[in-house]
Amino acid sequence: MAMAGPEIEELIKQAFPDAKVIVTDLAGDGDHFGARVISRAFTGKSRIQQHQMVYAALKGKMGGELHALALETAAPK
C-alpha cells in the first residue's frame, strides 16, 4: 500500500522538527512524490548527506510503501 503525502510530511517533521516541508504528488497517482525540506540540521552537510538524512527519517519505507521521492533539501539561509 502506498504512503500518503501527509504521512511522508509527518515522518520528516518528526525527524526535523524545525523543518519547512512541502510534499507534492508529482504524477497525481499517490505513488510519485516530491519533497522540499529546509532544516538547520542540514547546515554543513553535503547534498548526499542531506538526502540520506531524509531517507533515514522515512524509516525504511523508501522503495517499499514509498515508490518514488524526488528530494530537494537545503539549510536555511
Side-chain angles (χ1 to χ4, degrees), residues 2-22:
M3 290 181 73
E7 184 179 358
I8 297 166
E9 182 176 343
E10 180 61 29
L11 286 172
I12 294 170
K13 285 191 172 192
Q14 284 176 10
F16 309 103
D18 73 304
K20 292 181 182 168
V21 181
I22 300 170

Side-chain angles (χ1 to χ4, degrees), residues 4 6 8 10 18 22 27-28 30 33-35 38 40 42 46-49 54-55 57 60 62-64 68 71:
I8 297 166
E10 180 61 29
D18 73 304
I22 300 170
F33 289 93
I38 301 171
R40 289 187 304 271
F42 299 146
S46 72
R47 190 67 38 118
I48 291 171
Q49 290 171 319
V54 173
Y55 291 140
M62 189 68 215
L71 275 177

Side-chain angles (χ1 to χ4, degrees), residues 44-69:
K45 306 280 192 229
S46 72
R47 190 67 38 118
I48 291 171
Q49 290 171 319
Q50 293 173 16
H51 287 204
Q52 289 172 334
M53 291 167 70
V54 173
Y55 291 140
L58 296 172
K59 301 179 181 178
K61 295 180 188 287
M62 189 68 215
E65 293 175 55
L66 180 54
H67 174 70
L69 180 66

